[in-house]
Amino acid sequence: MTAKSHRNDGRLKIAIQKSGRLSEKSFALLEKAGISLQKSKDQLLCRARNFPLDIFLVRDDDIPAFLTNQVCQLGIIGQNTLLETQLLEAETYGGLSQVIELGFGRCRLSIAVPNDMPYDGLDSLAGRTIATSYRGLLAAFLAERGVEANIVTMEGAVEVAPRTHLADAICDLVSTGNTLISNGLAEQDIILQSQAVIIQNNDMQDDLRSLCETILVRINAVLRAERSRYIMLNSPVSVLDEIKAVLPGSQSPTVMPLQGNDDMVAVHAVCDEEVFWSTMEALKDRGASSILVVPIEKMLD
Ligand code: ATP
Ligand code: ZN
């Protein structure tokens, strides 16, 4: 256990992005976990009304430092930012770990070249210049594959580098690919698939650690409920096994008699996966009727 620092007022501190692609979903996730926040996004600190927790609203790049300096215990950040920070400063940021993948903020870090540049695999980049904000990840990727290229670090607007002759190619975050297309660039190699994650400083004081566990259990429950569905249907007794086999990701459905109809039963199940129209059609084809699929709001084992 670490000595109690002056910063420990018994309240858990979480750092999230102040404004940007991760902010809204980070806020929404905490609210779904039952944290009621006084929403004033202009300030640095936002206190929860009903839980000993404060939210720090900062630039995403600063989140790792807020954790390693013990100002915050948890943070929400893109894997791309975490890994890049850890590659550049392994000693400082090695004690941070990813604890939950959140499923939003999905993107990939890719190498892209101008449409008119002949490209025949990574060797085409040998001796060329590549512009990026992810020097650490790009250098590691190229070194592993034995490709020697020059790297130019840019803070933003990396996609204009080839047009301005600052670089031959780029390495940047891509989600839809529209930015690349409108800049005449073709995506060639994916370096990393990324999403938002909760990160934790492994070195934490005991009183905060138990608050942290409570909040992480809640967040895991929120994520599980979000991907799960409750399904209800009526099934002829004769095809019950076939119906059960089609139910996606459900362990043990509840089977109940239907009053006044000995040949039919009601089946209720929690499905751990998305229920597609095709699944419902498959259930119907096997004899199921009155099929209802409903979202689950909260779930705790
Ligand atoms: P800040 O002002 O906090 O430094 P930023 O400009 O660095 O903001 P954003 O553009 O808001 O950051 O992106 C935050 C994170 O969102 C990225 O690090 C990445 O994990 C994720 N992301 C998802 N899709 C994309 C995308 N198409 N381009 C960039 N980032 C994306
Ligand atoms: Zn940033």
Side-chain angles (χ1 to χ4, degrees):
M1 195 189 89
T2 323
K4 221 175 169 90
S5 91
H6 65 281
R7 293 193 190 94
N8 185 353
D9 55 2
R11 294 174 70 81
L12 188 69
K13 312 277 196 303
I14 305 187
I16 68 172
Q17 192 188 24
K18 183 184 176 88
S19 76
R21 293 174 201 261
L22 305 178
S23 319
E24 241 173 67
K25 292 207 165 135
S26 303
F27 253 107
L29 177 69
L30 294 171
E31 287 188 335
K32 280 184 223 154
I35 307 298
S36 157
L37 297 163
Q38 284 148 1
K39 268 211 208 110
S40 117
K41 290 193 182 171
D42 303 330
Q43 54 194 42
L44 170 68
L45 196 74
C46 180
R47 281 172 78 86
R49 292 193 206 101
N50 58 349
F51 198 88
L53 177 140
D54 298 328
I55 315 276
F56 276 71
L57 301 166
V58 298
R59 286 200 57 186
D60 63 350
D61 318 73
D62 295 334
I63 291 176
F66 272 84
L67 269 69
T68 51
N69 290 298
Q70 307 276 355
V71 179
C72 295
Q73 292 74 45
L74 295 175
I76 298 181
I77 193 178
Q79 287 170 314
N80 51 302
T81 311
L82 175 68
L83 295 175
E84 177 69 10
T85 318
Q86 289 183 320
L87 273 174
L88 293 182
E89 290 178 71
E91 256 181 48
T92 313
Y93 297 108
L96 302 182
S97 56
Q98 302 184 26
V99 282
I100 305 179
E101 293 187 339
L102 297 174
F104 63 82
R106 283 186 194 276
C107 57
R108 49 196 190 272
L109 182 66
S110 289
I111 293 175
V113 305
N115 289 326
D116 57 5
M117 173 177 153
Y119 192 85
D120 188 24
L122 278 178
D123 286 337
S124 309
L125 296 171
R128 303 274 201 160
T129 302
I130 312 171
T132 189
S133 312
Y134 293 87
R135 168 180 288 275
L137 284 162
L138 176 60
F141 181 81
L142 294 176
E144 245 171 57
R145 286 154 186 83
V147 177
E148 282 190 32
N150 309 311
I151 301 177
V152 176
T153 306
M154 288 176 77
E155 288 295 324
V158 173
E159 65 281 359
V160 302
R163 256 192 292 147
T164 56
H165 305 291
L166 183 65
D168 302 302
I170 68 161
C171 162
D172 203 7
L173 295 178
V174 183
S175 47
T176 60
N178 285 340
T179 310
L180 294 183
I181 292 168
S182 59
N183 283 281
L185 299 166
E187 187 175 356
Q188 299 291 0
D189 302 276
I190 298 177
I191 293 188
L192 174 79
Q193 293 280 1
S194 178
Q195 60 177 297
V197 285
I198 301 217
I199 58 170
Q200 169 182 300
N201 188 348
N202 297 333
D203 178 16
M204 204 185 301
Q205 292 145 15
D206 287 347
D207 53 340
L208 298 177
R209 190 175 292 278
S210 74
L211 284 177
C212 184
E213 270 159 25
T214 306
I215 208 77
L216 293 179
V217 166
R218 283 198 199 177
I219 288 172
N220 269 320
V222 168
L223 296 174
R224 215 178 126 213
E226 267 178 6
R227 35 161 223 275
S228 303
R229 295 290 179 268
Y230 195 74
I231 182 161
M232 296 173 265
L233 54 85
N234 292 343
S235 163
V237 177
S238 55
V239 296
L240 188 56
D241 286 341
E242 277 179 63
I243 297 279
K244 280 192 200 162
V246 178
L247 288 173
S250 75
Q251 277 114 29
S252 43
T254 309
V255 179
M256 291 160 285
L258 280 176
Q259 253 186 0
N261 190 344
D262 292 342
D263 302 332
M264 298 284 288
V265 284
V267 180
H268 289 198
V270 172
C271 294
D272 258 349
E273 301 159 22
E274 201 174 334
V275 181
F276 297 102
W277 278 106
S278 55
T279 312
M280 294 177 67
E281 284 150 7
L283 290 165
K284 193 169 157 55
D285 288 346
R286 282 162 182 75
S289 55
S290 305
I291 308 168
L292 269 183
V293 179
V294 296
I296 294 172
E297 194 183 286
K298 291 192 181 65
M299 192 169 176
L300 205 59
D301 281 331

